[in-house]
Amino acid sequence: MTTVLQPFPYAKRVPAVTPMGAAQASSSSDVIPFSYGTPTSDAFPYDGLKEAALKAILDHGRDALQYAGAGGPQVVKEWIAQRSALRSIDVTTEQVLVTYGSQQAIDYAARTLLEPGDHAWVEAPTYFGAVSTFRSSEALITSFPIDEDGLQVDLIEKALEEAVRRKHPLPKLVYCMPNFQNPGGVVLSLERRRKLAELAYQYNFFILEDDAYVELTFTGKHLPAIYSFAPERVIYLSTFSKIIAPGIRLGWAIGSSDVIRRMNTFFQGSKASVFSQEIAAQLLQHLPFDDHLEALASRYRSSRDVMVDSLKANFGEEVSFQVPEGGFFIWLTFPEDVDTGRFVQDAYERGVSFIDGSKFFVRPEGARHARLSFSYCTEEQIRRGVRLLAEAYQAYQASRTAN
Ligand SMILES: Cc1ncc(COP(=O)(O)O)c(C=O)c1O
């Protein structure tokens, strides 16, 4: 019998988007990857993890490999609850849900909050991983600009007032990255955190506060989380990906007991990898965590400095950017008529990758921007990569003048 393959009507909920971010990690190894939003592998607490993995097995034997684990998951939750106090988040372990990376927490939050056709409001620019998750929930997405103090909350307020006046639907969810935003690198001011929290109560929406980069501060400063101002209307998310290693795939959500109970149902009885949690528990109990974080911040701060200096030396006044005080990214702004998508391929062929600005927007905009990540590369690579980027940009400008 010959098999005749008929076209299959796949679910439309799967968004037709090109995978980004981690997926780009498979690109050519000769290319300097400013496109990766990834921690450098040198920064993983490698020896600590080796010992932690062995100890997880030696101390707990086969229990560490059971569905429920051997107490590691509880240790991890307790650590998260305690650490969160630094951001004025006061919670019990029942309010913590450990997930397979914070990407899964975004998904479970979206599934908990959004019906198809509901409105989700995001920042412009924003993290594309979250956008594709909201699209899978069939949400309608609207974006609001950021400036040097983060999301422009006054524009959110105006839009809410306008929606009420015109009897338009209100958002169910506002997605916001308050610290070292991806890709903008900016921090949401204290005043705006308070205001956004107030609006969430007034207009009855949830804030999805994605705090993936909070621990990577170069100044040691911490603002209170938005959660601390509206605990019943915020789901707070963070991750071990940037401070331990992405491969352990552990992130978390914090919310009211009710929200966490609802999100937990999506696990269908199981949990985020219990063995990873057993290892993380050992690591968190034995690693001098503050020293580890200081070493990370110092490493990323010097990488940032090298990138800033190289950009100034190679681009002069041609690009502008805010120097980020934490996180992984520098967000470049080129002159108005530049389209960075037009030289991304040439830059790649010359040996450097970056992500062109339009990828971070939900509307057709942002072409004059580019995201460079300083987190993955060595200082030598950063210097060379910025030189190659400048060459690609100059070639692009020259070809425009010639035409
Ligand atoms: C803002 C933001 N949120 C969430 C994630 C997802 O991280 P993970 O699923 O590894 O915890 C990332 C990853 O790059 C990110 O940049």
Side-chain angles (χ1 to χ4, degrees):
M1 193 185 94
T2 30
T3 311
V4 180
L5 261 189
Q6 301 172 50
F8 187 81
Y10 290 107
K12 291 197 191 58
R13 282 195 313 282
V14 180
V17 291
T18 325
M20 300 269 300
Q24 301 222 341
S26 59
S27 62
S28 160
S29 59
D30 298 338
V31 172
I32 296 168
F34 291 163
S35 56
Y36 293 5
T38 313
T40 169
S41 315
D42 300 344
F44 300 157
Y46 186 72
D47 291 333
L49 276 168
K50 259 195 328 204
E51 277 166 37
L54 192 61
K55 241 175 125 29
I57 296 253
L58 292 180
D59 285 9
H60 300 295
R62 287 159 202 265
D63 286 347
L65 296 160
Q66 261 303 355
Y67 273 113
Q74 189 57 23
V75 171
V76 171
K77 273 195 202 178
E78 278 161 12
W79 185 90
I80 292 168
Q82 264 175 26
R83 187 90 195 158
S84 303
L86 278 181
R87 348 228 166 272
S88 313
I89 296 177
D90 176 20
V91 281
T92 62
T93 52
E94 285 77 62
Q95 291 174 262
V96 178
L97 183 70
V98 174
T99 52
Y100 180 86
S102 56
Q103 184 61 54
Q104 186 181 48
I106 298 175
D107 181 27
Y108 285 7
R111 290 204 235 170
T112 302
L113 302 175
L114 298 171
E115 305 272 13
D118 279 345
H119 289 254
W121 289 7
V122 303
E123 295 163 297
T126 189
Y127 168 53
F128 34 67
V131 168
S132 60
T133 305
F134 303 147
R135 290 207 170 113
S136 306
S137 293
E138 299 182 54
L140 303 172
I141 303 170
T142 308
S143 63
F144 294 82
I146 61 167
D147 62 17
E148 61 282 5
D149 286 326
L151 176 63
Q152 296 188 34
V153 174
D154 55 333
L155 298 183
I156 296 264
E157 183 176 26
K158 280 205 188 87
L160 289 164
E161 288 166 359
E162 180 80 358
V164 169
R165 213 171 20 250
R166 292 169 175 253
K167 297 196 167 44
H168 285 172
L170 292 170
K172 296 276 281 295
L173 173 165
V174 173
Y175 172 69
C176 176
M177 288 163 275
N179 291 305
F180 321 123
Q181 204 250 14
N182 178 3
V186 292
V187 172
L188 187 67
S189 71
L190 181 60
E191 204 182 311
R192 290 185 187 182
R193 289 173 194 233
R194 276 214 188 88
K195 184 69 195 172
L196 190 60
E198 251 173 62
L199 293 172
Y201 284 133
Q202 191 180 345
Y203 292 92
N204 199 24
F205 59 82
F206 266 87
I207 298 163
L208 193 54
E209 180 177 15
D210 185 350
D211 217 2
Y213 298 93
V214 61
E215 295 281 13
L216 301 176
T217 163
F218 304 155
T219 60
K221 284 193 231 144
H222 285 298
L223 288 176
I226 309 170
Y227 180 95
S228 67
F229 302 116
E232 300 86 356
R233 281 295 171 271
V234 177
I235 300 177
Y236 176 93
L237 314 175
S238 196
T239 179
F240 287 120
S241 288
K242 320 292 174 187
I243 51 175
I244 298 183
I248 64 167
R249 302 310 300 128
L250 291 177
W252 63 91
I254 290 176
S256 67
S257 312
D258 181 38
V259 158
I260 292 302
R261 191 181 44 73
R262 286 170 193 272
M263 286 174 68
N264 195 23
T265 56
F266 294 113
F267 275 115
Q268 317 274 7
S270 78
K271 286 195 169 112
S273 169
V274 158
F275 190 55
S276 273
Q277 293 185 65
E278 289 296 336
I279 297 171
Q282 293 288 349
L283 187 78
L284 295 169
Q285 285 168 318
H286 297 107
L287 183 77
F289 205 73
D290 287 332
D291 295 351
H292 168 64
L293 282 184
E294 236 167 71
L296 281 191
S298 147
R299 155 86 199 232
Y300 291 131
R301 195 189 303 110
S302 344
S303 304
R304 175 207 61 184
D305 290 345
V306 171
M307 188 171 267
V308 166
D309 290 348
S310 307
L311 284 166
K312 285 185 180 154
N314 286 275
F315 283 91
E317 301 289 301
E318 219 30 35
V319 292
S320 57
F321 55 90
Q322 187 173 338
V323 177
E325 297 199 329
F328 283 177
F329 309 111
I330 293 187
W331 181 239
L332 299 182
T333 303
F334 285 87
E336 194 112 29
D337 57 346
V338 166
D339 179 352
T340 60
R342 303 290 296 277
F343 58 92
V344 76
Q345 184 59 31
D346 181 40
Y348 187 84
E349 280 158 22
R350 288 170 193 265
V352 62
S353 69
F354 69 95
I355 303 188
D356 49 306
S358 63
K359 302 283 191 311
F360 300 91
F361 293 83
V362 297
R363 296 188 308 161
E365 59 178 320
R368 68 190 289 208
H369 297 285
R371 188 191 82 176
L372 307 189
S373 166
F374 51 80
S375 58
Y376 189 80
C377 301
T378 62
E379 295 186 358
E380 178 46 39
Q381 282 179 312
I382 293 175
R383 285 190 198 94
R384 193 172 135 67
V386 173
R387 261 199 317 274
L388 294 171
L389 183 65
E391 281 170 24
Y393 175 64
Q394 278 149 14
Y396 160 75
Q397 287 293 33
S399 76
R400 292 207 305 163
T401 326
N403 290 326

